Amino acid sequence: MTDTTRRRFLQYGAATGAMLVIPAAQRGVAATSRDGRPRLAGGGLRKFREPLPVPGRGIVVATSTGINRYSFTQREIRRRLHPDLPPTPVWAYDDGSGLAGQAGSFGMVLLAQSGTPLRVSYTNLLPDVYPGWIPVDPRLTHGNGRKVRPMTHLHGGFVAADSDGNPVTDAGAGYAPGQTQHVYYGNQLPQMPASLRWFHDHGMGTTRLNVFAGLAAGYLIRDAYDTGTEPNPIGVPGNGYEIPLVIQDRQFRPDGKFRYPVSTIPGAIWIGEYFGDHMLVNGKVWPYLDVEPRMYRFRVLNGCNARIMSLHFGGLPMWQIGAEGGLFDMPVPVRRLVLSPAERADILIDFRGLDGRTLELRNSTPAAPVSTPAPPLEAVLQVRVGTSVTRPGPRRVPGSLPGQRARLPRPRKTRYITLNEIAPGTASWHLNLNAVDFEHKPVTETPKAGTVEDWAWVNMTPDTHPMHMHLVTFQVVGRTPFDVNAYQKKHGGPNGVPGGISPQPFATGPMEPPTPDERGFKDTVKANPGYFTTIRAKFDLPEGVTGPQSYVHHCHIVEHEDNEMMRPFTVLP
Ligand SMILES: [Cu+2]
């Protein structure tokens, strides 16, 4: 076995051993085979039994606790994720409105307005120590041991460091039971236009576990154009015709709890990637959605820990109108959405002429050069097209949009950040950036406030890594293939190739331009193996905030982020 196949075997070994066994009593009709044992055919729970939760019906729209003020508690709730499952313990952001039974795993959305600041608090009411169903690896928790110490990050937030919820701030070790994290989200323009952001836990060495347990919610920003109602100045569907699709894969235990496997490597608990064998959409297992034969807008977010998805409606045309940073300047046609964890796509789909048809949103293995060890998981969501239309809505895709094509001025500097994988298949298996671990000093990435820089993530591992930066949204400049072996041979050491060394002399072809769906500003980009992926960002700070301000950039495969594939950066005055 090569290193790679061995590593993949170990990952699969952990994941595919995890067949769901639903007790016969909970399986309803035809629950047992003729010999009386539970039937285990092909992957557990029945598909398309319950409607997709939407805001107001299954997804809580957060209730404010004062003018522009929200107060959440983080606590364990029980949520029924499928009719054949007992209620699942889920960690949730609870807005105090009494609807928290719906709130974990994206059962909550906060509606923000561009330009209107919010004060938000998060009070930790979780257990002090991790329960048995969440296998913490105390080697990775930087002194927190098995203690639960959450910290909420606004993903895509343009905020001061002390409101960012990142591990290099004073509160980086997280919040003890009863403690409250207070943050200020300015929602300032132009950095925070109408767009889908999200907030999720960012606990030190425990992000993968806290997000897996359910600590993730939507943060939907509106403005005078993108009102969410219909009609609107953009000419896109609104009201009940705009639908979030937040997709997460999960494994289940027979008692209804989420299952997270532990490593088969002696001395390790951490696994390289978590892959589920059931798909949750908006917090329900394999739901269905009734639509009318008219145009719809979907806000798609890959909320998986590690799975990169290639989503399609069996060839049905889609128009992408925006990404993580907001709307594009014009729609682009797409047939598939290739989304890595944390990436978002804002899309239009026209169901006219499909009256009475049943469609499926399906996931397939992404095409090269994207590379992922995920075992296949195809079914996502069933869409049932009705035969009558309540409101006709927009009849055509708009020709232009009030958003942006990402185009920044020439950079002041280019930084090379290396992506290394060390000792796979052993107890010391980890990933790193720049051949150093997360806490290594000094901080080498120190852009000056207000300046434009190019960053190139140089991927020497066999897999795609979704690289995410806090504070900024960025332009994808392009991806350049290079000779990984030659670069490593010349510059590599025991912990990989250090940062700051250009792989350009090892390029094996010209830079490939961004894909059409990378037209706008993004906060997460697929760094594919064998390529260096260049992005361009302007390192502004929010109004009234002066440097130094420290943030992090990291892989958004949260298993990787938790095991050293993360580094700080500091914006200097
Ligand atoms: Cu990664």
Side-chain angles (χ1 to χ4, degrees):
M1 259 190 218
T2 65
D3 254 15
T4 306
T5 53
R6 174 173 161 71
R7 185 169 66 89
R8 292 186 177 205
F9 172 76
L10 289 164
Q11 288 165 337
Y12 284 150
T16 51
M19 259 314 184
L20 177 75
V21 186
I22 300 295
Q26 289 153 18
R27 287 172 58 85
V29 184
T32 52
S33 56
R34 260 180 288 174
D35 59 6
R37 287 183 309 207
R39 200 173 276 172
L40 295 176
L45 297 165
R46 295 177 297 162
K47 298 182 180 74
F48 317 134
R49 312 307 293 190
E50 280 197 296
L52 177 79
V54 294
R57 260 185 306 135
I59 296 178
V60 184
V61 179
T63 304
S64 63
T65 47
I67 297 167
N68 300 323
R69 192 175 285 272
Y70 292 85
S71 310
F72 295 102
T73 54
Q74 292 130 312
R75 60 186 187 88
E76 184 171 306
I77 62 165
R78 279 172 188 274
R79 187 174 181 196
R80 196 174 267 279
L81 308 182
H82 188 278
D84 296 343
L85 274 182
T88 299
V90 173
W91 288 9
Y93 297 107
D94 177 1
D95 65 348
S97 66
L99 296 169
Q102 306 170 38
S105 263
F106 289 97
M108 173 72 68
V109 61
L110 194 163
L111 288 186
Q113 281 290 327
S114 197
T116 302
L118 298 179
R119 289 189 183 279
V120 181
S121 68
Y122 306 95
T123 300
N124 174 11
L125 298 183
L126 291 165
D128 186 41
V129 174
Y130 278 96
W133 57 279
I134 307 179
V136 65
D137 191 332
R139 300 175 306 158
L140 309 183
T141 58
H142 294 251
N144 280 340
R146 297 178 181 280
K147 292 188 184 127
V148 179
R149 293 292 180 268
M151 177 174 52
T152 308
H153 165 57
L154 176 60
H155 184 117
F158 183 62
V159 298
D162 61 5
S163 284
D164 186 44
N166 79 55
V168 288
T169 52
D170 290 344
Y175 292 82
Q179 288 188 330
T180 301
Q181 176 183 1
H182 294 277
V183 295
Y184 177 82
Y185 299 154
N187 296 321
Q188 182 189 321
L189 283 166
Q191 287 86 358
M192 296 288 273
S195 52
L196 175 61
R197 315 277 161 128
W198 54 305
F199 54 103
H200 66 80
D201 196 74
H202 213 300
M204 195 63 196
T206 56
T207 296
R208 73 193 184 289
L209 303 170
N210 297 348
V211 171
F212 154 79
L215 288 177
Y219 187 93
L220 186 57
I221 309 175
R222 300 294 195 188
D223 66 13
Y225 296 93
D226 191 356
T227 59
T229 54
E230 193 178 291
N232 53 63
I234 314 177
V236 295
N239 298 332
Y241 305 100
E242 180 197 18
I243 293 176
L245 294 179
V246 181
I247 304 166
Q248 300 180 291
D249 56 343
R250 289 289 182 275
Q251 298 177 32
F252 288 94
R253 302 173 7 152
D255 61 2
K257 290 190 174 82
F258 287 140
R259 180 177 187 277
Y260 194 105
V262 297
S263 179
T264 52
I265 300 166
I269 295 172
W270 175 85
I271 56 167
E273 281 106 8
Y274 174 79
F275 297 118
D277 51 4
H278 293 74
M279 213 66 112
L280 261 59
V281 191
N282 299 350
K284 287 276 185 185
V285 178
W286 284 314
Y288 68 85
L289 172 67
D290 285 314
V291 301
E292 299 177 2
R294 53 154 282 171
M295 197 189 293
Y296 277 74
R297 178 184 187 186
F298 292 101
R299 313 296 296 266
V300 190
L301 188 162
N302 181 342
C304 298
N305 275 34
R307 182 179 290 277
I308 303 172
M309 293 186 291
S310 178
L311 298 166
H312 60 95
F313 265 109
L316 193 65
M318 303 184 264
W319 294 84
Q320 186 164 345
I321 61 171
E324 294 97 274
L327 291 167
F328 299 160
D329 56 336
M330 57 180 282
V332 296
V334 289
R335 295 269 170 179
R336 287 178 171 273
L337 301 174
V338 182
L339 296 177
S340 63
E343 284 190 297
R344 281 94 78 198
D346 192 348
I347 59 165
L348 304 180
I349 297 184
D350 198 342
F351 296 110
R352 273 182 299 178
L354 298 169
D355 308 46
R357 293 266 302 273
T358 297
L359 311 171
E360 250 187 67
L361 178 64
R362 294 183 75 79
N363 167 51
S364 56
T365 300
V370 175
S371 171
T372 170
L377 184 59
E378 291 198 350
V380 179
L381 172 78
Q382 187 183 63
V383 175
R384 302 171 181 175
V385 187
T387 51
S388 64
V389 173
T390 313
R391 296 168 56 121
R395 290 180 181 282
R396 57 182 190 88
V397 172
S400 67
L401 297 163
Q404 291 184 77
R405 178 171 195 180
R407 264 195 201 140
L408 288 169
R410 291 187 70 79
R412 179 189 180 114
K413 181 178 175 80
T414 299
R415 299 180 188 271
Y416 296 97
I417 319 280
T418 56
L419 279 57
N420 301 289
E421 179 163 17
I422 308 302
T426 73
S428 48
W429 180 9
H430 67 284
L431 300 106
N432 73 41
L433 302 178
N434 291 346
V436 292
D437 61 23
F438 172 66
E439 290 191 319
H440 182 83
K441 296 284 188 315
V443 175
T444 45
E445 274 54 67
T446 53
K448 199 168 146 48
T451 62
V452 173
E453 292 193 354
D454 277 5
W455 286 27
W457 283 296
V458 186
N459 187 353
M460 287 164 285
T461 79
D463 296 319
T464 295
H465 298 272
M467 296 305 297
H468 168 55
M469 292 179 86
H470 288 212
L471 180 69
V472 295
T473 55
F474 51 73
Q475 170 187 350
V476 180
V477 178
R479 297 178 175 86
T480 312
F482 74 109
D483 184 337
V484 170
N485 289 335
Y487 178 67
Q488 277 178 319
K489 196 168 175 203
K490 175 103 187 267
H491 298 293
N495 293 314
V497 177
I501 303 169
S502 172
Q504 190 63 55
F506 303 90
T508 54
M511 178 186 274
E512 297 169 10
T515 51
D517 57 297
E518 293 173 323
R519 184 177 184 88
F521 282 99
K522 291 178 61 64
D523 65 34
T524 306
V525 66
K526 289 174 280 286
N528 296 324
Y531 285 79
F532 55 99
T533 298
T534 305
I535 63 93
R536 183 168 297 170
K538 184 160 186 274
F539 289 86
D540 282 321
L541 289 170
E543 251 167 48
V545 176
T546 52
Q549 296 282 320
S550 289
Y551 304 88
V552 291
H553 67 110
H554 57 83
C555 176
H556 218 290
I557 291 177
V558 278
E559 282 73 27
H560 296 179
E561 164 184 350
D562 277 346
N563 204 351
E564 305 296 327
M565 204 170 212
M566 173 162 73
R567 280 291 291 165
F569 70 92
T570 300
V571 181
L572 298 176

